[in-house]
Amino acid sequence: MARSIDAARAMQYTKEIVAYGPRWDGSQGMEKVRTYLKNKLKGDQVEEDAFTAETSVGKIAMRNIVVKFPGTKDGIIVLASHYETNYWLRNIPFVGANDGAATSALLLAIADQLRGKKLEGYSIWLAFLDGEESMTRQWNSDDALWGSRHLAKKWQDDGTSKKIKALLLADMIGDADLDIFHDESSTPWVEDLVLQAATRLGYQSHFFASSTSVEDDHIPFARTGVPVADIIDLNYGYNNSYHHTAQDTVDKLSVGSLKISGDVILETIRLVNAVGDNPAPVAPQKPPS
Ligand SMILES: [Zn+2]
């Protein structure tokens, strides 16, 4: 498997997504971005997961897009990102360059590396999730995480979740000033692998200086027993001041950060595969006293 992504191309994809304008659920921009993603994935094994979300602002048609790259080993590694922008920000020019666009672009750039090659190891599925953001300004997890809650339930019902070795969620990691948080609500061993991957590539200074517990699209999957890691930078601009504002634009991102994020994700995938090959030794039993 490729060891690195084409980060310049990931930046280009980010710009293309952002160029459609705001893409809140129900907007024309969202329809256009959906079509854009499907065009980029033409010829790949794409499945759509369509559903109606009964939100606090009414019924909204939503759609997760999952693209599957089959591997040689039994088991799946999922990479996920949300692609919509906030409904409650629909009256300002909020394009979510970092929040949704950059990470969807990263997934496209990773698809470019996986396409048309024999994939040694677990299958890799890329999930473009809809409806991550809360419908109203006040965060409410019952009025957010729509796509992830729907897909996690579907995968639990059809037995897929048992086959998932790890789910890596990417969120807001195109920030030029990249500082990825340690997420206390993620699965510790997957978080450890992310840090190990970053360290192996010499990028550890961008990882885990801060620690917090994040409510994001990984949570519904974690609740169904899937090992998860949310790879997220929650400090976007001084004091997170660009987050959910019209200042979340492509000039705040960098090709360098996309490269770090994308390459660490690829390295983490490699490490998850290695864990599968060499299961952790069982702790020695205490002698009877
Ligand atoms: Zn957001």
Side-chain angles (χ1 to χ4, degrees):
M1 204 182 76
R3 289 285 179 95
S4 73
I5 65 153
D6 184 338
R9 203 189 281 181
M11 180 62 94
Q12 181 57 33
Y13 292 155
T14 307
K15 289 177 181 167
E16 288 168 5
I17 293 170
V18 162
Y20 291 110
R23 50 184 190 282
W24 40 275
D25 278 300
S27 69
Q28 286 229 323
M30 186 55 165
E31 268 317 310
K32 286 177 182 165
V33 168
R34 260 190 208 117
T35 305
Y36 168 85
L37 292 173
K38 285 189 274 180
N39 280 336
K40 287 283 174 217
L41 301 168
K42 214 165 243 168
D44 297 332
Q45 198 180 319
V46 175
E47 284 174 23
E48 294 185 48
D49 172 37
F51 61 99
T52 302
E54 305 211 4
T55 77
S56 66
V57 298
K59 289 186 182 179
I60 300 181
M62 294 191 184
R63 205 169 278 242
N64 298 314
I65 300 170
V66 180
V67 53
K68 302 179 174 181
F69 295 94
T72 53
K73 263 194 333 194
D74 197 25
I76 305 156
I77 297 171
V78 180
L79 307 181
S81 156
H82 78 93
Y83 67 102
E84 96 289 5
T85 56
N86 313 51
Y87 180 83
W88 62 269
L89 288 168
R90 67 195 178 285
N91 295 320
I92 67 159
F94 175 69
V95 294
N98 193 31
D99 194 356
T103 47
S104 300
L106 262 187
L107 262 53
L108 289 179
I110 288 171
D112 290 343
Q113 298 302 327
L114 302 175
R115 187 173 296 120
K117 294 169 198 151
K118 188 177 180 200
L119 189 57
E120 298 287 348
Y122 297 128
S123 294
I124 300 177
W125 292 7
L126 310 179
F128 298 82
L129 301 172
D130 200 343
E132 182 270 332
E133 304 284 3
S134 193
M135 288 297 145
T136 51
R137 177 183 287 267
Q138 182 61 46
W139 171 261
N140 172 2
S141 57
D142 294 328
D143 201 17
L145 311 181
W146 290 102
S148 49
R149 284 191 284 146
H150 190 266
L151 194 58
K153 166 103 179 46
K154 179 179 159 173
W155 282 350
Q156 184 177 38
D157 292 347
D158 71 11
T160 298
S161 26
K162 284 198 214 76
K163 297 182 196 154
I164 301 176
K165 302 298 173 182
L167 178 142
L168 307 174
L169 178 65
D171 204 359
M172 300 182 58
I173 52 177
D175 183 3
D177 179 14
L178 190 66
D179 45 1
I180 291 168
F181 281 51
H182 170 249
D183 171 36
E184 293 156 15
S185 62
S186 290
T187 310
W189 72 259
V190 189
E191 285 282 290
D192 286 350
L193 287 194
V194 172
L195 183 60
Q196 220 183 95
T199 305
R200 292 173 80 109
L201 298 176
Y203 296 141
Q204 68 274 19
S205 68
H206 298 280
F207 283 76
F208 295 6
S210 311
S211 193
T212 189
S213 183
V214 189
E215 234 180 353
D216 204 345
D217 277 331
H218 59 316
I219 299 294
F221 297 99
R223 289 204 177 113
T224 63
V226 172
V228 298
D230 190 6
I231 307 174
I232 185 166
D233 174 355
L234 272 176
N235 188 20
Y236 183 35
Y238 178 72
N239 247 342
N240 206 21
S241 55
Y242 299 148
H243 188 203
H244 291 166
T245 72
Q247 278 72 54
D248 183 359
T249 45
V250 286
D251 55 299
K252 314 300 189 307
L253 315 181
S254 75
V255 172
S257 291
L258 290 169
K259 177 168 174 56
I260 293 170
S261 299
D263 290 359
V264 168
I265 287 170
L266 289 180
E267 181 67 5
T268 306
I269 291 173
R270 216 178 58 74
L271 293 176
V272 172
N273 269 297
V275 169
D277 291 337
N278 309 294
V282 177
Q285 288 197 322
K286 267 192 193 168
S289 49

